[in-house]
Amino acid sequence: MKSVNPLETVYFINLSDIENFKLSDSAMHIDPTIPLPVQKKDSDAPGTFNMAELTEEQILAGLLTVMAYDSDNKNILYYRSILNKARPDLKKELTEAAILKAKNEDYDLAEEIFAALHGFDPEDMPTILNTALFFDQRADSYRKSGLDEDADAYDNDALNWYRQALEAETPMPDAYFNAAFFYLKKRNYKEAKSCFETYLALTCDVSDEDMGENGVYKKNRAQQLLNEISNRNMEDDHFINAYDLINKGEVEKGLDEIRQFIGKNPDVWNAWFMLGWGLRLLKRHKDAKKAFEKALTLDGGKTADTYNELAICYMEEGDLAKSKTSLETALSLEPENTKIISNLGYLALKEGNPSVAASYFQAVLEYDPDDKLAASELAKLDV
């Protein structure tokens, strides 16, 4: 987040105070009696403003800054009307720009644009949903970089925006579909199940032709995941409590919960994975290894995460050959997973190959320049 208040870069000018001021006939209509926000130019010296050099772009930029950071401004409705008249397609243009910036991981600018969009039209539900998706994506990116606290903060932002989208007066199916995946990520299977059920209910009467190829895929995917949650009883309180407890550091209590779940649901790979995860956190690598190996034998358990966790156990036990095999299998499933690539770097260090380790950490930084752990390890290596 920026520490400087963006509104400090905006001048509020009174056009009525400017002698002989007159806009051209082709310019936007402006009421000279209402202070007008104008974005300062980078070249302007502090406290200076040259009216003769004022451009329409400065006015539009100033208005958007107010939309983003001062939506309670007493003149906000007037400022919105100026933007509507000056840029009839503004919402579409800004949405496309925000999505592109987010895709390119220019997160600060994307966040500013989404804030401006919301200030421009606070009731626009597609904007609210797109903002939720943006924060969701930003959280995932930060977590991949090892910035867990920042990731948690952006997940909380995403949750707040998803909740607003789910409260739309006219229900939006996509809001429920995307919120379901957010809840899956947070291991909140009860809420995920509810969202998938609502999504399918909202789209059940829509023909495949009207849904289109992508819509049909989403319906099938939602039904598939709903069946998995139900068939594996993943909305069970023991399962949910286990994840919450382990995630906040109460590992022994979490292990008690997941063992109770496994007692009733012995064929759920996710449960064995969670058991292994908790045991590994307690450095009980031999027992954790058995849990991960069990997960691999169950339907759905052959995931990159399972192989990666198993590799860590092998590495800690000193079985570097098996660790390497597991990591290579994990990487074949998810070739751009930076956690796996980093672990290959740590494995190379244990094997006494610092130059190989450096190449892995460098590869991580090529995928994610903000990965602090990889940057730190690379800095330690004199290769």
Side-chain angles (χ1 to χ4, degrees):
M1 295 290 185
K2 295 185 176 179
S3 57
V4 177
N5 183 352
L7 290 171
E8 292 179 5
T9 67
V10 174
Y11 298 115
F12 283 85
I13 61 174
N14 290 303
L15 299 180
S16 59
D17 295 339
I18 300 173
E19 187 177 355
N20 298 323
F21 173 79
K22 185 179 185 302
L23 289 170
S24 68
D25 293 337
S26 61
M28 65 181 81
H29 172 70
I30 293 177
D31 185 340
T33 65
I34 298 177
L36 187 68
V38 176
Q39 185 70 47
K40 171 187 172 182
K41 291 181 181 178
D42 291 338
S43 58
D44 288 344
T48 65
F49 175 72
N50 189 344
M51 185 63 202
E53 297 179 358
L54 176 64
T55 65
E56 185 170 313
E57 286 70 26
Q58 281 180 273
I59 297 174
L60 292 173
L63 290 167
L64 288 173
T65 300
V66 171
M67 297 296 113
Y69 300 104
D70 190 19
S71 58
D72 292 328
N73 188 291
K74 65 179 182 179
N75 296 312
I76 195 70
L77 295 179
Y78 168 66
Y79 295 149
R80 287 174 187 155
S81 71
I82 295 178
L83 287 171
N84 266 319
K85 292 173 183 175
R87 291 286 193 277
D89 295 326
L90 180 66
K91 194 183 298 184
K92 179 175 180 291
E93 294 171 8
L94 288 179
T95 299
E96 290 174 351
I99 291 173
L100 179 61
K101 292 298 180 184
K103 183 178 180 181
N104 292 334
E105 299 189 356
D106 189 349
Y107 292 127
D108 287 338
L109 185 52
E111 184 172 345
E112 288 183 10
I113 298 173
F114 277 120
L117 271 165
H118 185 61
F120 179 59
D121 187 354
E123 305 301 321
D124 186 61
M125 284 298 163
T127 294
I128 289 173
L129 177 56
N130 282 330
T131 304
L133 291 167
F134 161 70
F135 281 115
D136 195 350
Q137 175 188 342
R138 189 168 192 177
D140 288 345
S141 176
Y142 277 57
R143 189 161 281 109
K144 286 179 182 176
S145 300
L147 303 171
D148 290 338
E149 288 187 9
D150 289 330
D152 289 342
Y154 286 119
D155 267 341
N156 287 334
D157 288 333
L159 178 59
N160 290 332
W161 288 98
Y162 276 128
R163 284 173 172 165
Q164 292 182 58
L166 296 177
E167 292 172 359
E169 187 173 344
T170 301
M172 294 188 297
D174 279 351
Y176 287 92
F177 183 81
N178 287 295
F181 279 92
F182 174 81
Y183 284 121
L184 281 181
K185 177 179 72 172
K186 305 302 288 183
R187 305 295 198 278
N188 190 336
Y189 296 103
K190 189 174 291 185
E191 289 294 340
K193 180 181 180 182
S194 175
C195 285
F196 280 133
E197 288 174 337
T198 304
Y199 171 77
L200 291 170
L202 291 171
T203 58
C204 66
D205 293 330
V206 183
S207 68
D208 288 354
E209 183 179 356
D210 289 337
M211 289 291 293
E213 183 177 349
N214 186 52
V216 171
Y217 165 79
K218 286 162 71 173
K219 285 177 71 172
N220 291 337
R221 183 67 173 146
Q223 187 63 64
Q224 176 193 1
L225 291 169
L226 182 60
N227 291 342
E228 287 185 14
I229 293 171
S230 297
N231 293 340
R232 294 173 182 170
N233 200 22
M234 291 161 66
E235 73 272 32
D236 179 273
D237 287 338
H238 288 302
F239 191 97
I240 295 170
N241 291 340
Y243 176 79
D244 288 341
L245 289 165
I246 295 173
N247 195 45
K248 64 184 182 182
E250 298 181 41
V251 181
E252 291 287 4
K253 291 181 181 179
L255 291 176
D256 288 341
E257 291 284 340
I258 201 61
R259 287 191 181 101
Q260 290 186 63
F261 177 86
I262 289 174
K264 299 176 182 177
N265 307 273
D267 297 325
V268 178
W269 78 266
N270 315 67
W272 289 97
F273 179 92
M274 198 181 302
L275 177 63
W277 174 45
L279 290 167
R280 182 179 68 75
L281 291 176
L282 295 177
K283 301 188 182 303
R284 293 172 54 183
H285 298 110
K286 183 176 181 180
D287 293 332
K289 182 179 66 175
K290 291 178 180 178
F292 291 128
E293 288 173 339
K294 176 65 176 180
L296 289 174
T297 69
L298 299 171
D299 185 35
K302 291 187 170 92
T303 70
D305 280 342
T306 308
Y307 283 108
N308 183 58
E309 289 286 342
L310 183 59
I312 295 172
C313 295
Y314 284 134
M315 199 185 307
E316 292 296 332
E317 289 189 322
D319 194 337
L320 304 188
K322 286 188 177 180
S323 180
K324 186 172 185 178
T325 299
S326 292
L327 286 172
E328 289 174 344
T329 303
L331 195 63
S332 70
L333 295 171
E334 293 186 11
E336 297 182 7
N337 188 316
T338 54
K339 288 190 301 183
I340 299 168
I341 300 172
S342 282
N343 283 333
L344 282 165
Y346 289 119
L347 177 64
L349 287 176
K350 286 184 175 290
E351 291 174 329
N353 296 316
S355 61
V356 174
S359 68
Y360 281 122
F361 293 130
Q362 185 61 52
V364 170
L365 293 174
E366 289 174 5
Y367 283 116
D368 183 2
D370 296 324
D371 193 301
K372 290 187 175 182
L373 291 177
S376 175
E377 292 299 330
L378 195 59
K380 296 176 187 176
L381 297 173
D382 185 18
V383 295

